[in-house]
Amino acid sequence: PSGGQPRATGGMGYMRRNERDGELEKWFKEFGQKGLGPNRRVDSARSRDPADSRPVGGAKARELMDAAQAQASAQMADGSPSKAPIKAQAADLTDSELSALEAASKSLKQCGQMRNPFNQPLSFFSALRAPDSNPKPEAWDAVRATYPALASRTDEELLKALLPIKAVYVDKRSLEDE
């Protein structure tokens, strides 16, 4: 290069690279322990608590679900699953209502007019067994319309009975179309 100027390098020079590394180190010391990182949002105390990250349900539903999952896990450890814990928690439902709710939760039929985010029909299985949310009121209306044994039950009663049923894992691929 003419004029006595230093030749420009294609990237950062040695000194610049060291400065950048020092800045990164400073940044990680300052923000790394606060839950910040590159391309991440600020983590508040609420968002770091996994119990608060569930979108719906509230504390009571969370407590019921945790109890149902603990019972199901203990039952699976013993050997074969039975319906005793389900019946114990859903004591206010009759056997026919309980079996209708379980059948609905394993049904691949369309759940009313509900659709998934891709505008595909939503099955009863997907609507009732979503792991991160409770069924919407439209789903309960469709359950009551399709399964007359459950017509007299409220959303709260059905949810309370569904939680232990939902706690027992069912692979969708093992279900057959009706």
Side-chain angles (χ1 to χ4, degrees):
S2 63
Q5 300 215 356
R7 193 173 127 217
T9 59
M12 291 187 234
Y14 179 73
M15 294 298 287
R16 184 74 176 135
R17 208 174 346 210
N18 283 343
E19 290 171 15
R20 183 195 66 206
D21 291 345
E23 289 295 317
L24 283 174
E25 190 176 318
K26 221 167 60 174
W27 185 85
F28 279 113
K29 282 182 183 175
E30 183 178 349
F31 295 110
Q33 296 171 353
K34 294 182 182 176
L36 293 175
N39 301 321
R40 291 187 186 167
R41 61 177 167 64
V42 176
D43 287 342
S44 67
R46 176 184 161 89
S47 66
R48 274 183 264 153
D49 183 7
D52 288 337
S53 64
R54 297 181 186 149
V56 294
K60 184 63 177 169
R62 195 174 315 125
E63 180 182 312
L64 288 171
M65 186 65 165
D66 291 342
Q69 286 176 338
Q71 281 184 346
S73 296
Q75 191 177 23
M76 292 304 242
D78 292 342
S80 64
S82 70
K83 295 186 180 184
I86 294 173
K87 288 180 181 178
Q89 282 199 0
D92 55 339
L93 263 67
T94 65
D95 287 341
S96 63
E97 290 172 332
L98 199 55
S99 62
L101 185 59
E102 188 171 3
S105 76
K106 294 180 181 178
S107 173
L108 296 177
K109 289 182 181 178
Q110 184 173 355
C111 183
Q113 299 300 316
M114 294 182 71
R115 298 210 168 265
N116 68 13
F118 302 105
N119 205 22
Q120 300 288 327
L122 193 65
S123 66
F124 282 107
F125 177 85
S126 298
L128 298 178
R129 287 186 174 263
D132 59 348
S133 63
N134 292 328
K136 296 180 180 176
E138 304 89 53
W140 291 127
D141 294 340
V143 167
R144 285 189 205 94
T146 308
Y147 296 90
L150 302 171
S152 64
R153 296 300 182 166
T154 65
D155 290 0
E156 292 78 24
E157 291 173 323
L158 292 173
L159 177 62
K160 183 178 178 185
L162 177 68
L163 291 176
I165 293 171
K166 185 176 166 178
V168 177
Y169 176 75
V170 175
D171 190 341
K172 187 175 183 177
R173 297 171 293 182
S174 69
L175 302 175
E176 297 179 14
D177 287 330
E178 298 168 353

